[in-house]
């Protein structure tokens, strides 16, 4: 690994930190509530694909559902677009929910690391006590209101993903990265760290960035998993209080 990439990646834990403590979560919850009206949100989650050249080994597993070779990258951000978790190691054919289930954040949340708070994800994720998704087919005005509020709060992760246009090497409009997957993943993590450093130092996003194209969730959502019913009850409770 080149020295510059290695040096920046060694700072990952310093600049990309998930809010596990009550103190860290409190301010994030306030910001999401002020911005959207959705309570107790500790982060918004989504995945995005970074296009790559077809690799020499296991080429087929890097082909995503749009028939493009890519790395599928998990992003969790707060209301200020700060990246709180980035997972860049899975090939493009990997489902978003699989990446979460095999990430350190997913494992810790499943184990109960956060007792009072949740992520917001799209319908490509399983509904859990700690991950609230929209109603797939809203039947009432309350469910429509929940989905609208959920969308407003979760939109920050789409804006955070859109900031990959700041680093044109990550955006399809800048072509595709011509390195092998391991180095591409290192470049992605470096860009994520530099993004957070830029925000911390008040460096604005360039005003002429191209508009990020929203990526629709996988048309084949994951099957119901353990914790689905608890998540469904919690979603109903939140809906009644919006």
């Amino acid at each position: 690994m080149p020295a510059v990439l290695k040096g920046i990646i060694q700072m990952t834990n310093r600049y990309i930190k998930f809010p596990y403590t009550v103190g860290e979560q409190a301010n994030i919850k306030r910001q999401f509530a002020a911005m959207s009206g959705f309570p107790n949100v500790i982060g918004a989650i989504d995945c995005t694909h970074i296009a790559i050249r077809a690799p020499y080994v296991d080429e087929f597993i890097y082909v995503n559902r749009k028939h493009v070779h890519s790395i599928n990258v998990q992003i969790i951000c707060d209301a200020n677009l700060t990246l709180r978790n980035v997972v860049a190691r899975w090939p493009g054919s990997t489902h978003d929910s699989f990446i979460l289930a095999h990430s350190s954040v997913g494992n810790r949340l499943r184990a109960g690391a956060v007792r009072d708070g949740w992520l917001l994800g799209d319908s490509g994720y399983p509904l859990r006590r700690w991950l609230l998704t929209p109603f797939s087919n809203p039947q009432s005005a309350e469910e429509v209101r929940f989905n609208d509020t959920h969308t407003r709060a979760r939109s920050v992760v789409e804006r955070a993903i859109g900031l990959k246009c700041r680093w044109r090497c990550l955006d399809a409009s800048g072509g595709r990265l011509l390195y092998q997957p391991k180095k591409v993943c290192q470049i992605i993590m470096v860009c994520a760290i530099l993004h957070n450093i830029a925000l911390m130092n008040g460096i604005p996003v360039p005003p002429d960035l191209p508009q990020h194209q929203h990526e629709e969730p996988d048309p084949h959502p994951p099957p119901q998993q353990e914790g689905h019913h608890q998540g469904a009850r919690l979603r109903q409770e939140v809906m009644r209080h919006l």
Side-chain angles (χ1 to χ4, degrees), residues 16-240:
I16 302 179
K17 297 183 289 186
F18 190 82
Y20 288 111
T21 69
V22 173
E24 291 173 318
Q25 293 165 13
N27 191 45
I28 294 175
K29 290 178 180 180
R30 283 194 296 269
Q31 291 170 347
F32 270 107
M35 178 266 292
S36 67
F38 208 109
N40 271 17
V41 180
I42 58 173
I45 183 171
D46 203 355
C47 283
T48 188
H49 289 266
I50 306 300
I52 63 171
R53 178 178 60 184
Y56 302 124
V57 179
D58 295 329
E59 171 271 338
F60 66 97
I61 67 173
Y62 290 89
V63 179
N64 62 32
R65 57 192 173 93
K66 294 184 178 180
H67 310 293
V68 174
H69 293 89
S70 68
I71 301 295
N72 194 8
V73 182
Q74 175 175 288
I75 299 289
I76 300 175
C77 75
D78 63 22
N80 290 326
L81 307 186
T82 300
L83 305 181
R84 295 291 181 164
N85 174 255
V86 178
V87 178
R89 65 173 183 268
W90 294 98
S93 64
T94 313
H95 195 284
D96 296 1
S97 63
F98 181 93
I99 297 176
L100 176 60
H102 290 81
S103 69
S104 60
V105 168
N107 287 329
R108 290 189 65 177
L109 293 179
R110 188 164 53 247
V114 174
R115 297 292 182 180
D116 183 29
W118 39 74
L119 300 175
L120 299 183
D122 64 23
S123 57
Y125 290 97
L127 180 62
R128 307 292 289 269
R129 180 192 62 77
W130 45 268
L131 197 164
L132 297 185
T133 61
F135 290 95
S136 58
N137 186 24
Q139 299 294 313
S140 67
E142 284 184 318
E143 292 181 355
V144 170
R145 183 169 63 251
F146 177 93
N147 280 9
D148 288 344
T149 308
H150 184 284
T151 297
R152 189 161 58 248
R154 205 188 70 85
S155 66
V156 295
V157 74
E158 295 180 5
R159 288 160 51 206
I161 287 172
L163 293 179
K164 70 184 183 182
C165 298
R166 182 205 288 259
W167 318 109
R168 295 299 294 275
C169 65
L170 302 185
D171 188 70
S173 64
R176 58 187 64 197
L177 284 165
L178 304 180
Y179 302 100
Q180 289 302 299
K182 181 178 180 180
K183 186 169 184 178
V184 170
C185 293
Q186 293 166 356
I187 292 171
I188 293 167
M189 290 304 303
V190 164
C191 289
I193 293 165
L194 293 176
H195 164 71
N196 278 1
I197 292 175
L199 289 182
M200 289 173 61
N201 288 277
I203 299 175
V205 178
D208 57 346
L209 290 181
Q211 183 67 34
H212 172 63
Q213 298 299 312
H214 172 65
E215 297 172 11
E216 295 296 328
D218 195 306
H220 305 290
Q224 292 186 9
Q225 301 179 11
E226 180 182 357
H228 172 86
H229 296 298
Q230 188 178 16
R233 289 195 298 271
L234 179 58
R235 183 170 63 181
Q236 290 286 340
E237 181 180 339
V238 172
M239 179 189 71
R240 289 193 294 269

